[in-house]
Amino acid sequence: GIKYKTYPYDVSSQKTGFYCDQRENRLNLAKVCEGKKVLDLCCYNGGFSLNAMIHGKASSCIGVDSSPVAIAAANEIKELNGISSGLEFVQMDIAQFMKEAESNGDEYDVIILDPPKLSPSVSQLDRAARKYSSLNRDAMKIINKKNGGLLLTCSCSGAMTQKNGGQFFLETIQGAALPARRRITLLSSNGAASCHTQDPASFPANSYLTAALFSVSPLAE
């Protein structure tokens, strides 16, 4: 298994210090990472990265996050699990990282994009949709151009994931594929882990998380 350090009593940490709602999505993604070059964007403390390396046997993984505290914690957890090679955590704005990766010709087989909440309310939805679109476009651009790959893209913004029964978010990602010159196919769309119970009638807001796995085609000629 994987060992984690969490910081539930640190007032500067995010929520309880660890995102348990993604635990099943991490395990599911690990199943398709064997031998793959993985990029984990907005990695926080490295949950997806660690699962890709330990359970998925990825050939390599880079986790990127803008928070120095998150990256420091990710490196502590990396050491806790005895990972000495193949996994690297980088403190950088993910948009800048993707821009530099494209410029340098870096490519990845599997990319995870799990940004923080970009649309806290419906009033900010249009701006958030533009941000989701640009981030996913740039992620698709650095997926393996010859063979294609996989993109797991996530949204924890209920306003985004619940509009039009969840179709708005998926259509936003579909729209991002065109300027990236890729074709995408939705393979699966999942929510929070089963420990996050839902009651659509009395508390629809608990259906806030979407983790959509897309197959991304090779670069169109």
Side-chain angles (χ1 to χ4, degrees):
I2 299 174
K3 300 174 183 177
Y4 295 103
K5 291 183 72 174
T6 59
Y7 309 88
Y9 304 111
D10 182 352
V11 294
S12 67
S13 69
Q14 301 177 48
K15 296 187 178 179
T16 59
F18 189 75
Y19 292 104
C20 296
D21 54 358
Q22 288 279 30
R23 62 187 179 89
E24 291 171 7
N25 295 323
R26 295 181 188 118
L27 286 169
N28 288 334
L29 186 74
K31 297 173 184 177
V32 296
C33 288
E34 185 171 0
K36 303 298 185 183
K37 186 177 179 182
V38 179
L39 175 62
D40 183 8
L41 298 168
C42 299
C43 67
Y44 189 47
N45 288 358
F48 277 108
S49 300
L50 290 158
N51 275 271
M53 293 298 295
I54 295 174
H55 292 312
K57 296 180 172 57
S59 62
S60 65
C61 182
I62 297 176
V64 184
D65 202 285
S66 62
S67 167
V69 176
I71 291 298
N75 278 313
E76 283 189 43
I77 296 169
K78 171 186 170 180
E79 292 180 11
L80 182 66
N81 286 276
I83 301 175
S84 59
S85 63
L87 176 59
E88 178 185 2
F89 290 109
V90 176
Q91 184 204 337
M92 186 183 290
D93 174 78
I94 64 164
Q96 182 64 29
F97 182 92
M98 289 189 285
K99 181 179 179 180
E100 292 186 11
E102 183 183 10
S103 178
N104 295 334
D106 297 333
E107 298 178 6
Y108 301 89
D109 303 307
V110 180
I111 295 181
I112 303 104
L113 177 58
D114 186 18
K117 185 182 290 188
L118 299 179
S119 180
S121 66
V122 173
S123 64
Q124 297 171 298
L125 188 56
D126 288 344
R127 184 177 67 178
R130 291 192 295 271
K131 185 66 172 177
Y132 279 115
S133 180
S134 65
L135 289 174
N136 280 276
R137 175 201 65 206
D138 291 349
M140 290 182 215
K141 285 182 177 180
I142 56 174
I143 284 179
N144 191 301
K145 293 180 175 62
K146 181 179 179 181
N147 300 317
L150 296 172
L151 171 66
L152 179 71
T153 182
C154 308
S155 173
C156 60
S157 301
M160 188 82 186
T161 58
Q162 294 176 17
K163 184 175 180 179
N164 297 342
Q167 285 301 114
F168 182 71
F169 177 61
L170 299 178
E171 290 168 359
T172 299
I173 309 308
Q174 183 70 56
L178 184 61
R181 296 169 58 200
R182 303 296 183 110
R183 296 187 309 277
I184 60 174
T185 302
L186 179 64
L187 302 179
S188 65
S189 181
N190 298 302
S194 53
C195 58
H196 285 59
T197 57
Q198 299 180 17
D199 188 333
S202 65
F203 191 50
N206 212 34
S207 302
Y208 62 92
L209 178 65
T210 295
L213 180 63
F214 287 94
S215 172
V216 180
S217 75
L219 182 67
E221 296 295 337

